[in-house]
Amino acid sequence: MTAAGIGALAWETEGFNVVTVNGARQLDIARRPRSLPDVELMDQDGQLFSLADYKGDPVFVDFIYTRCPTICRPMGDEFHHILQWQDKHPEQKVRLVSISFDLENDGREALRLYGDRYGARAPQWRIAAPLQRSGLDALRQAFGLIVIPDGMGGFIHNGDVYLIDARGRLARAFDPDAAPLVFVNELTGIRR
């Protein structure tokens, strides 16, 4: 009986490598990078683009909503730090995209104001939203994004930061509380 319990625990934790469902998802992404849907997005400047436009360059992506009072703020700060690092290391081409999942409230002006709060500037850091609900649904599915209305007009959501590799595949997912440049260090091998 004990052996069966240990076996089940090993199965559920990917051989004792993870302890959460999110950790299992992160490990799965790292082991098996995945293709992403081609979804049209509009950024804070009203420019249309898709994640496929970045093929050849690594891109960090997070999912936000501009009225978020919790996790989106530290994620915005993390991206701001990466943007500052990018300014000091222009030879390292790293792009940032924050995608809103709150299509009802996050129009172009809300995206611009959110970007202004953190110093975002396109094309280095785009604050964007899908043009279609179907596009948002496709992105939520591909990234494993969980969004639950909180009953007070906001949302509870997972806050991973995702790495899209130069081949345009979802290659990594990082915990939101990791130090900002952990993402860049992972990508470039550069330590500060």
Side-chain angles (χ1 to χ4, degrees):
M1 187 71 134
T2 302
I6 291 172
L9 184 59
W11 173 263
E12 289 296 319
T13 61
E14 296 282 335
F16 302 107
N17 286 312
V18 297
V19 295
T20 65
V21 171
N22 195 49
R25 186 178 54 79
Q26 290 173 349
L27 187 60
D28 183 56
I29 290 169
R31 287 180 177 167
R32 291 181 285 281
R34 49 188 78 157
S35 298
L36 293 172
D38 190 17
V39 173
E40 192 169 35
L41 303 164
M42 181 190 65
D43 74 12
Q44 71 266 36
D45 297 329
Q47 299 298 309
L48 301 179
F49 72 103
S50 76
L51 295 174
D53 294 344
Y54 290 102
K55 278 193 180 171
D57 294 323
V59 182
F60 288 109
V61 174
D62 66 358
F63 287 88
I64 55 106
Y65 70 105
T66 63
R67 300 172 299 113
C68 180
T70 57
I71 195 164
C72 299
R73 289 181 181 181
M75 290 182 351
D77 288 338
E78 288 177 4
F79 272 24
H80 175 76
H81 290 299
I82 294 171
L83 189 64
Q84 289 178 316
W85 176 89
Q86 175 77 51
D87 288 343
K88 294 176 185 171
H89 299 89
E91 73 282 0
Q92 297 292 330
K93 203 169 193 180
V94 177
R95 298 293 185 226
L96 307 170
V97 178
S98 295
I99 301 174
S100 173
F101 52 78
D102 186 5
L103 302 185
E104 287 75 30
N105 294 295
D106 287 348
R108 182 175 166 212
E109 183 64 13
L111 299 174
R112 186 188 62 74
L113 290 172
Y114 181 89
D116 288 350
R117 183 179 320 143
Y118 296 103
R121 59 186 183 275
Q124 290 86 4
W125 181 8
R126 287 177 142 160
I127 314 301
L131 293 180
Q132 306 280 330
R133 170 73 51 196
S134 59
L136 176 59
D137 293 343
L139 290 173
R140 285 178 65 176
Q141 176 71 31
F143 284 88
L145 179 64
I146 298 169
V147 178
I148 302 167
D150 67 6
M152 297 177 288
F155 302 93
I156 299 167
H157 62 99
N158 52 339
D160 285 356
V161 175
Y162 303 91
L163 171 63
I164 300 173
D165 66 17
R167 294 172 54 191
R169 302 173 308 163
L170 175 58
R172 295 292 304 271
F174 300 93
D175 287 328
D177 58 352
L181 294 181
V182 166
F183 312 130
V184 174
N185 290 343
E186 178 76 23
L187 176 67
T188 65
I190 293 175
R191 304 288 184 246
R192 57 173 194 168

